[in-house]
């Protein structure tokens, strides 16, 4: 049943901000299964029966959207192709496998009483951290105590995740003729900044995520070869660890460079969950090894503890001929249920 649902998802184009058809299909599927659910924009969620406000609440989350298909696909990215144990298709690995596995787990866990409330959420716009994705839904949900975020991690528990800041910078100079010793070259001011960015090491090191990483990825200046440029634009990609807030990182950079800084956003924070948390301990009991993830997910937008763990492999994501193995989905469902069934989340609240 859930593999067929995944195949339907693959056959329904659902790139970020264009998930309406997939949300319609998923909503119709839930209705046919008799599952009461809610929808806001293209996000869909269902709350397990017998919700009790005095119990902790666990959110099961995976995203419905995909990136655009790479140009080097050898197969039709929207044609689910099953070859033995392997299912090919855009979004099969990232994030369809986790989406359907967590839905199967939600249904199984709700067949008998659990010591916590349970919510399953299929969120939109995850690949672009869009405003109509999980950010628009969280205010509509009951209080969440912890989330299990399904992403392809080989079912290893990611207990920390790097955050992201993108900063647009501008240095200023004075135009002049390149043939004469005049003007003030804005590129040279940018070079001084970039040299500091390249060599500075933020002192707080994370054992799970390593150091904060700053990289200049775009630079643009000049109008023609014989004019000293009076303005230079460059962009910094910053991957943060849990030792700093995004605001702290921006303040430190601002203190050391000459450019005008304009962060595109500050809300994509690094996240972490204590290794002592009951969910993490249950994963360890399954023989899994906690690690820190360099990739971003909807965890960055969650103001509560979250654990990232799901079927598939991260290196398959966003690649041509993306695939998932059916055995990986089946194992994930089994492991999720073992982790979650009867888990006492009150010890972490």
């Amino acid at each position: 049943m859930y593999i067929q649902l995944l195949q339907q998802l693959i056959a329904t184009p659902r790139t970020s901000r264009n998930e309406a058809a997939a949300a319609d299909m998923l909503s119709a599927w839930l209705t046919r299964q008799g599952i009461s659910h809610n929808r806001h924009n293209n996000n869909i969620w269902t709350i397990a029966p017998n919700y009790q406000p005095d119990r902790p609440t666990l959110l099961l989350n995976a995203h419905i959207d995909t990136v655009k298909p790479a140009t080097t696909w050898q197969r039709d990215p929207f044609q689910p192709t099953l070859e033995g144990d392997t299912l090919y298709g855009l979004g099969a690995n990232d994030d369809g496998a986790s989406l359907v596995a967590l839905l199967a787990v939600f249904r199984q866990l709700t067949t008998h009483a659990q010591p916590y409330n349970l919510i399953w959420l299929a969120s939109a716009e995850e690949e672009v951290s869009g405003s109509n994705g999980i950010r628009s839904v969280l205010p509509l949900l009951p209080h969440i105590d912890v989330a299990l975020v399904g992403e392809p991690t080989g079912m290893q528990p990611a207990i920390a995740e790097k955050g992201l800041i993108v900063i647009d910078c501008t240095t200023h100079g004075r135009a002049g003729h390149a043939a004469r010793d005049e003007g003030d070259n804005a590129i040279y001011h940018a070079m001084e900044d970039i040299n500091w960015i390249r060599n500075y090491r933020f002192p707080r090191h994370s054992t799970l995520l390593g150091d904060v990483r700053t990289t200049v990825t775009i630079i643009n200046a000049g109008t023609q070869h014989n004019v000293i440029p009076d303005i230079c634009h460059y962009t910094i990609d910053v991957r943060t660890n849990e030792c700093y807030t995004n605001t702290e990182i921006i303040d430190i950079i601002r203190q050391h460079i000459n450019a005008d800084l304009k962060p595109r956003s500050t809300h994509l924070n690094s996240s972490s969950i204590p290794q002592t948390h009951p969910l993490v301990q249950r994963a360890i009991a399954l023989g899994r090894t906690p690690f820190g993830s360099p990739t971003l997910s909807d965890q960055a937008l969650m103001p509560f503890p979250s654990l990232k763990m799901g079927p598939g492999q991260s290196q398959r994501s966003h690649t041509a001929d993306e695939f998932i193995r059916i055995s990986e989905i089946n194992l994930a469902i089994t492991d999720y249920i073992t982790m979650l069934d009867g888990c006492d989340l009150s010890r972490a609240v």
Side-chain angles (χ1 to χ4, degrees), residues 156-212:
Q156 300 293 343
I159 64 172
E161 178 184 89
K162 280 201 167 182
L164 170 65
I165 317 170
V166 179
I167 307 175
D168 293 315
C169 303
T170 304
T171 56
H172 300 275
R174 187 177 69 258
H177 199 297
R180 294 189 291 270
D181 186 17
E182 61 184 29
D184 181 18
N185 198 321
I187 292 177
Y188 294 162
H189 293 302
M191 288 171 61
E192 294 174 1
D193 290 352
I194 292 169
N195 186 57
W196 179 86
I197 293 164
R198 179 181 182 182
N199 293 294
Y200 182 76
R201 297 293 178 265
F202 287 85
R204 300 178 206 162
H205 176 82
S206 167
T207 56
L208 287 166
L209 297 175
D211 294 328
V212 173

Side-chain angles (χ1 to χ4, degrees), residues 3 8 31-32 51 64 70 140 154 161 185-186 267 288 292 296 342 346:
I3 302 305
Q8 291 178 55
T31 298
R32 289 194 299 272
Y51 175 87
I64 194 174
L140 306 179
E161 178 184 89
N185 198 321
H267 62 267
R288 303 296 188 257
L296 200 69
S346 64

Side-chain angles (χ1 to χ4, degrees), residues 293-322:
S293 172
T295 57
L296 200 69
S297 75
D298 272 339
Q299 284 183 285
L301 301 170
M302 295 179 178
F304 40 77
S306 56
L307 172 68
K308 183 166 70 176
M309 181 176 180
Q313 298 294 336
S314 181
Q315 59 264 34
R316 298 177 198 159
S317 302
H318 306 181
T319 62
D321 297 315
E322 179 183 350

Side-chain angles (χ1 to χ4, degrees), residues 9-71:
L9 280 169
I10 291 170
T12 309
R14 58 192 197 284
T15 55
S16 300
R17 299 192 175 99
N18 296 286
E19 309 97 336
D24 290 343
M25 184 274 292
L26 186 55
S27 177
W29 189 92
L30 292 169
T31 298
R32 289 194 299 272
Q33 300 302 317
I35 301 174
S36 175
H37 58 281
N38 303 278
R39 178 172 176 173
H40 178 66
N41 296 321
N42 294 321
N43 307 277
I44 294 176
W45 71 95
T46 179
I47 302 174
N50 303 315
Y51 175 87
Q52 298 178 29
D54 59 336
R55 296 190 306 187
T57 297
L58 169 64
L59 175 67
L60 305 179
N61 168 241
H63 63 90
I64 194 174
D65 60 315
T66 71
V67 296
K68 295 178 181 179
T71 58

Side-chain angles (χ1 to χ4, degrees), residues 63-117:
H63 63 90
I64 194 174
D65 60 315
T66 71
V67 296
K68 295 178 181 179
T71 58
T72 50
W73 273 80
Q74 299 301 303
R75 299 172 171 81
D76 182 345
F78 302 110
Q79 176 61 49
T81 305
L82 186 59
E83 299 178 4
D85 187 41
T86 304
L87 176 62
Y88 293 91
L90 182 64
N93 180 77
D94 183 19
D95 195 32
S98 291
L99 188 73
V100 300
L102 287 173
L103 179 55
V105 170
F106 175 88
R107 297 192 74 189
Q108 176 63 31
L109 292 175
T110 56
T111 60
H112 51 281
Q114 298 294 337
Y116 50 80
N117 302 308

Side-chain angles (χ1 to χ4, degrees), residues 129 139 260 318 325 330 344:
S129 301
D260 297 332
H318 306 181
R325 302 195 192 284
N330 292 332
D344 182 8

